[in-house]
């Protein structure tokens, strides 16, 4: 079953001059597939990921998520789609520094509002346990180390049991041991929970271990 | 769909972690609202006091016989001179009585009128006050003291003795405070009053009258209307002034005109007699509102600034919230609710500050010769000021929060994430 699909996505930047950054991007990702995106710096990987995650709507072409067309929908609806179906992990962990770890993880689920506060809290503990940082739950997010923060943000991405997780160099800031750690977590999620993953990386070893590598060059997919 | 509980938790955390800035913003509102309440209470209290000083004891319509030349001189009435341009030099008023003709029927008529709340009549006599070798000239008002107390708060201006004691003693006098002082007279002393036509009447001082207007207190005294009529050597139908109090003061000018026309008397209304007074009141109100609104606007700018700063600090948070599925309007609500909470807490504290400040002023001693009945500063505790205050606080903080919150709503998360 296809989770995410694009048809002929094109994007231009107009400032300072017209720049065709993405050219005819057509790709699809199956359920449970672990895919990595590689390519030279500046080839448009992040730009593509922002479009796929529905945060950027300034493009032409079609984007389908879980069988439904997403392109052209209003912002309000896109926010709901992001909340429910997409987990995003950034290179810089991006937690709310004043909130506790557990509150950070709970936020998207509380926004979704499908479960009670107690159930959400239990889910959040379970996700933190899965990532081996349950004992940090009540600390303030700003107190954690970089690797710990990255794991918290993965837990947050998982909280609503999304259809797909996207990551923009999620291991870019981690040492090889932590990087390995995160890879194993991703691998388990895809094989055991049948979760789809789309991860941008510069790490050849990391990419080699994934199911499929998408190579990009100058805004085009070459493999 | 909005989950308000989450929104509120985020709001609360933002406010709590910035307690100092939040408090400063709230205190700005507190100060603005508190000052508004105190100023309004004090200014309108003062207005009320001054109104009382003049308006409470001023009749709405004053009827008397003014000595003036007749408008229609005889020559105008003679048909032989009709159409001519007649010039008369040295026109003088005809000698005429100050008394009001047929005063008693007129009073009866007025009392029947539905617009009229009450009528008092006076007989005014010019006299000399005599004590030992000193003579002072002045005016004695013959009054019905109970009517005056009831309609014109006369009792408030009796600083020693009482107005009612005039009823028990037909030869009592309520002496003007200035006269008493000049002549070293006190309650219970005797004073001789000599009338213009020579008679001397010994009167007993049963009260001291102080209006606060020196000019009045130095000349005016009050006696029973009968006594005044005797002083004048007139009968019991001699009335020189009629004072009318209406149920609705605004009808005074119209009714005064009506009376002047139908009775050939002079009737002046309170609005004409005190025109400058009204102006003073409205200008004081204007100043109060202007100052208060300025204070509240300044407080509003404080909130605007602090929220603007907060939003710049919170760019990353806003981007994360949006990336994880919070919509622009959720983010807007987070910041507007912060402003509204600041406004509400600051406003409530402002009401308390205003109330406490008002109570303190209300208990501050304020003694002045001019205002014998006033012992402390006047304060108006009108609940309307409190309602206006909190409403204004909420509206102005909402507006101050709305603009920065709109900016937060529009922030593009991609821009922030890319900028990292
Ligand atoms: N807002 C913008 N306006 C104009 N050009 C932009 C803008 N954002 C990105 N670009 C350009 O678009 C191209 C693609 O950028 P993008 O961030 O997607 O690259 P990337 O593949 O993620 O690179 P890296 O591996 O270094 O993260 C770059 O050449 C960049 O300069
Ligand atoms: Mg990039």
């Amino acid at each position: 079953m296809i989770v995410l699909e694009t048809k002929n996505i094109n994007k231009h930047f107009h400032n300072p001059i017209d720049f065709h950054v993405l050219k005819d991007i057509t790709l699809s990702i199956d359920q449970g597939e672990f895919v990595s995106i590689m390519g030279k710096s500046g080839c448009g990987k992040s730009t593509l990921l922002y479009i796929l995650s529905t945060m950027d709507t300034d493009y032409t072409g079609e984007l389908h998520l879980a069988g439904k067309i997403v392109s052209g929908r209003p912002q309000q609806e896109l926010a709901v789609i992001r909340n429910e179906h997409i987990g995003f992990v950034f290179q810089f962990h991006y937690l709310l520094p004043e909130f506790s770890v557990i509150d950070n993880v709970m936020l998207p689920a509380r926004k979704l509002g499908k479960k009670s506060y107690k159930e959400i809290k239990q889910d959040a503990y379970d996700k933190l346990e899965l990532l081996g940082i349950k004992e940090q739950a009540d600390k303030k997010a700003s107190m954690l180390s970089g690797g710990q923060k990255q794991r918290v943000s993965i837990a947050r991405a998982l909280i609503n049991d999304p259809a797909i997780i996207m990551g923009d160099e999620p291991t870019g800031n981690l040492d090889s041991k932590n990087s390995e750690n995160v890879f194993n977590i991703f691998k388990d999620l895809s094989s055991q929970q049948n979760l789809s993953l789309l991860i941008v990386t510069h790490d050849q070893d990391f990419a080699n271990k994934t199911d499929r590598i998408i190579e990009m060059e100058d805004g085009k997919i070459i493999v | 769909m909005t989950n308000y509980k989450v929104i509120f938790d985020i709001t609360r955390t933002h406010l709590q972690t910035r307690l100092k800035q939040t408090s400063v913003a709230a205190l700005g509102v507190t100060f603005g609202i508190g000052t508004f309440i105190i100023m309004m209470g004090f200014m309108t209290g003062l207005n009320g006091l001054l109104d009382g000083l003049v308006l409470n004891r001023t009749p709405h319509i004053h009827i008397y016989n003014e000595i003036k030349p007749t408008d229609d001189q005889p020559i105008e009435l003679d048909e032989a001179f009709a159409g001519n341009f007649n010039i008369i030099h040295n026109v003088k008023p005809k000698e005429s009585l100050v008394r009001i003709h047929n005063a008693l029927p007129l009073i009866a008529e007025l009392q029947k009128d539905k617009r009229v709340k009450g009528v008092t009549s006076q007989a005014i006599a010019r006299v000399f006050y005599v004590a030992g070798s000193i003579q002072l000239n002045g005016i004695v008002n013959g009054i019905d003291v109970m009517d005056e107390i009831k309609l014109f708060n006369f009792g408030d201006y009796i600083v020693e003795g009482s107005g009612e004691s005039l009823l028990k003693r037909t030869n009592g006098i309520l002496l003007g405070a200035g006269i008493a002082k000049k002549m070293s007279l006190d309650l219970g002393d005797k004073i001789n009053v000599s009338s213009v036509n020579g008679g001397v009447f010994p009167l007993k001082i049963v009260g001291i009258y102080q209006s606060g207007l020196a000019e009045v207190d130095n000349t005016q005294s009050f006696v029973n209307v009968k006594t005044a009529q005797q002083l004048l050597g007139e009968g019991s139908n001699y009335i020189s002034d009629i004072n009318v109090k209406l149920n609705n003061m605004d009808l005074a000018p119209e009714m005064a005109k009506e009376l002047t026309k139908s009775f050939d008397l002079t009737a002046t209304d309170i609005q004409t007699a005190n025109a400058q007074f009204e102006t003073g009141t409205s200008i004081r109100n204007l100043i109060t509102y202007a100052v208060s609104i300025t204070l509240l606007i300044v407080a509003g700018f404080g909130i605007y600034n602090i929220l603007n700063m907060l939003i710049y600090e919170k760019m990353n948070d806003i981007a994360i919230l949006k990336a994880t599925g919070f919509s622009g309007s959720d983010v807007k609500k987070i910041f507007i609710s912060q402003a509204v909470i600041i406004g509400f807490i600051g406003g409530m504290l402002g009401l308390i500050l205003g109330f406490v400040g008002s109570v303190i002023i209300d208990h501050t001693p304020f003694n002045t010769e001019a205002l014998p009945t006033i012992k402390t500063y006047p304060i108006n505790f009108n609940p309307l000021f409190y309602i206006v205050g909190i409403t204004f606080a909420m509206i102005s903080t909402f507006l101050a929060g709305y603009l920065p919150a709109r900016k937060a709503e529009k922030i593009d998360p991609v821009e922030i994430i890319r900028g990292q």
Side-chain angles (χ1 to χ4, degrees):
Chain A
M1 195 186 97
I2 292 172
V3 168
L4 182 141
E5 194 177 16
T6 68
K7 285 179 190 150
N8 296 318
I9 285 188
N10 279 278
K11 180 174 173 70
H12 292 255
F13 283 120
H14 307 288
N15 246 335
I17 47 157
D18 187 78
F19 172 44
H20 195 173
V21 57
L22 294 176
K23 297 160 189 162
D24 286 328
I25 303 286
T26 300
L27 58 81
S28 76
I29 293 171
D30 283 337
Q31 188 171 15
E33 203 179 6
F34 186 177
V35 181
S36 54
I37 303 179
M38 293 199 76
K40 284 210 200 79
S41 180
C43 71
K45 304 180 297 292
S46 297
T47 308
L48 176 61
L49 218 52
Y50 297 141
I51 290 174
L52 299 184
S53 68
T54 77
M55 282 192 279
D56 186 355
T57 52
D58 181 20
Y59 62 90
T60 58
E62 280 179 19
L63 171 62
H64 298 259
L65 245 170
K68 277 183 275 184
I69 185 149
V70 167
S71 323
R73 296 196 189 230
Q75 283 295 337
Q76 193 85 16
E77 231 175 280
L78 293 178
V80 175
I81 291 171
R82 270 203 298 282
N83 184 235
E84 198 167 0
H85 300 297
I86 301 173
F88 208 99
V89 183
F90 309 95
Q91 178 176 3
F92 302 93
H93 1 76
Y94 264 127
L95 300 174
L96 301 183
E98 290 146 353
F99 289 75
S100 68
V101 165
I102 189 86
D103 281 342
N104 264 288
V105 177
M106 287 169 73
L107 271 179
R110 294 187 63 196
K111 166 61 193 168
L112 185 63
K114 283 205 172 145
K115 292 181 178 174
S116 75
Y117 184 87
K118 262 181 87 175
E119 287 172 300
I120 292 171
K121 193 155 194 170
Q122 189 53 52
D123 282 359
Y125 273 120
D126 291 348
K127 304 293 180 202
L128 286 175
E129 186 160 32
L130 189 73
L131 290 146
I133 40 166
K134 197 183 175 188
E135 54 302 336
Q136 311 291 339
D138 295 322
K139 271 195 191 166
K140 257 200 177 178
S142 54
M143 311 271 218
L144 267 53
S145 77
Q148 287 172 327
K149 281 182 189 162
Q150 196 59 293
R151 281 182 279 166
V152 174
S153 70
I154 295 170
R156 183 181 61 195
L158 292 173
I159 190 73
N160 283 339
D161 295 321
I164 185 165
I165 292 217
M166 300 181 194
D168 194 355
E169 302 180 44
T171 58
N173 262 344
L174 302 179
D175 58 32
S176 57
K177 192 172 167 293
N178 267 313
S179 172
E180 174 104 23
N181 218 334
V182 168
F183 176 84
N184 290 334
I185 292 162
F186 284 159
K187 190 80 204 166
D188 288 350
L189 287 169
S190 85
S191 59
Q192 288 166 21
Q193 307 199 14
N194 219 13
L195 194 67
S196 310
L197 291 130
L198 181 60
I199 307 295
V200 170
T201 183
H202 283 290
D203 181 344
Q204 191 67 53
D205 295 338
F206 184 105
N208 287 340
K209 291 187 276 179
T210 60
D211 300 344
R212 173 155 64 105
I213 300 174
I214 295 175
E215 279 276 352
M216 280 182 72
E217 202 178 288
D218 282 340
K220 278 187 289 223
I221 293 177
I222 50 172
V223 186
Chain B
M1 178 206 61
T2 311
N3 193 336
Y4 283 100
K5 187 91 183 28
V6 202
I7 303 265
F8 182 71
D9 278 357
I10 298 170
T11 296
R12 207 192 45 209
T13 309
H14 278 175
L15 290 178
Q16 274 173 355
T17 48
R18 262 156 205 72
L19 207 55
K20 218 170 173 183
Q21 283 154 291
T22 311
S23 310
V24 169
L27 280 179
V29 179
T30 301
F31 188 70
I33 301 292
T35 315
F36 169 76
I37 302 261
I38 293 174
M39 277 197 55
M40 286 308 286
F42 191 46
M43 289 302 246
T44 57
L46 212 58
N47 275 348
L49 178 86
L50 295 171
D51 282 357
L53 195 65
V54 177
L55 298 183
N56 276 352
R57 58 175 147 172
T58 310
H60 294 163
I61 301 175
H62 179 201
I63 304 170
Y64 60 102
N65 227 348
E66 196 169 18
I67 297 179
K68 61 174 182 194
T70 7
D71 290 333
D72 300 316
Q73 292 293 323
I75 195 163
E76 314 273 356
L77 302 174
D78 192 326
E79 276 172 31
F81 297 94
N84 289 7
F85 190 76
N86 305 310
I87 297 173
I88 314 169
H89 293 282
N90 264 334
V91 178
K92 290 281 184 302
K94 191 179 79 168
E95 202 192 344
S96 155
L97 283 172
V98 187
R99 71 182 297 169
I100 298 173
H101 288 288
N102 291 326
L104 299 180
L106 175 57
I107 291 169
E109 181 107 341
L110 285 170
Q111 272 163 342
K112 267 186 264 163
D113 196 311
K114 282 207 174 55
R115 294 167 290 181
V116 173
K117 187 174 177 190
V119 182
T120 68
S121 51
Q122 302 191 343
I124 293 176
R126 314 203 143 270
V127 296
F128 292 103
Y129 300 104
V130 186
S133 60
I134 330 168
Q135 282 198 0
L136 289 177
N137 67 15
I139 295 165
V140 164
N141 287 31
I143 57 170
D144 181 326
V145 73
M146 291 322 283
D147 283 354
E148 297 288 344
I149 289 174
K150 199 174 78 200
L151 293 174
F152 299 111
N153 304 315
F154 184 69
D156 288 353
Y157 304 97
I158 306 302
V159 286
E160 278 176 65
S162 76
E164 286 86 345
S165 51
L166 210 55
L167 293 175
K168 285 178 238 146
R169 279 185 164 274
T170 45
N171 66 339
I173 182 168
L174 302 166
L175 194 66
I179 308 162
K181 199 168 164 204
K182 280 188 193 167
M183 303 183 110
S184 309
L185 291 169
D186 221 329
L187 209 61
D189 290 348
K190 285 232 160 66
I191 181 170
N192 285 327
V193 173
S194 79
S195 68
V196 190
N197 38 23
V200 175
F201 294 77
L203 297 175
K204 188 174 166 86
I205 300 169
V206 296
I208 302 290
Y209 166 87
Q210 188 178 17
S211 67
L213 307 174
E215 208 179 320
V216 173
D217 296 340
N218 285 341
T219 54
Q220 212 143 305
S221 299
F222 295 85
V223 297
N224 284 309
V225 71
K226 278 236 150 47
T227 317
Q229 285 161 348
Q230 280 165 19
L231 268 167
L232 287 158
E234 295 280 354
S236 64
N237 61 353
Y238 179 92
I239 298 295
S240 62
D241 296 71
I242 297 173
N243 291 331
V244 183
K245 187 156 187 168
L246 301 180
N247 290 314
N248 177 5
M249 186 171 124
D250 297 334
L251 297 177
E254 179 195 328
M255 198 171 160
K257 246 181 240 143
E258 204 179 297
L259 288 169
T260 310
K261 216 161 124 200
S262 45
F263 291 100
D264 189 24
L265 289 161
T266 308
T268 53
D269 57 90
I270 188 166
Q271 284 84 350
T272 312
N274 291 290
Q276 82 284 20
F277 192 77
E278 288 270 308
T279 320
T281 303
S282 59
I283 286 177
R284 275 193 299 275
N285 278 338
L286 196 70
I287 292 172
T288 309
Y289 274 107
V291 172
S292 306
I293 286 171
T294 311
L295 282 167
L296 290 176
I297 288 173
V298 170
F301 272 110
I303 292 181
Y304 174 82
N305 263 333
I306 283 170
L307 277 178
N308 247 338
M309 262 166 48
L310 187 70
I311 284 165
Y312 276 111
E313 274 176 45
K314 291 286 169 212
M315 285 292 196
N316 279 350
D317 285 26
I318 293 168
I320 299 165
L321 288 171
K322 287 190 170 175
T324 57
F326 286 80
S327 64
S329 83
D330 291 336
V331 171
K332 183 170 74 178
K333 280 175 198 140
I334 289 172
F335 288 97
I336 286 187
S337 61
Q338 292 183 24
V340 169
I341 288 172
I342 291 174
F344 184 72
I345 294 176
M348 278 312 203
L349 290 175
L351 295 190
I352 294 172
L353 176 75
F355 182 74
V356 170
S358 299
V359 168
I360 291 172
I361 292 175
D362 196 33
H363 283 87
T364 308
F366 173 59
N367 288 312
T368 159
E369 274 282 292
L371 307 164
T373 49
I374 305 303
K375 298 281 170 271
T376 56
Y377 283 100
I379 283 279
N380 184 352
F381 285 98
N382 190 344
L384 185 70
F385 303 149
Y386 294 78
I387 295 168
V388 169
I390 194 74
T391 311
F392 199 101
M394 299 305 290
I395 292 174
S396 65
T397 51
F398 179 85
L399 290 179
Y402 187 77
L403 298 173
R406 284 263 312 203
K407 202 155 65 189
E409 180 185 16
K410 298 239 152 69
I411 285 172
D412 178 4
V414 173
E415 239 169 75
I416 310 295
I417 293 167
R418 194 189 282 284
Q420 190 75 17

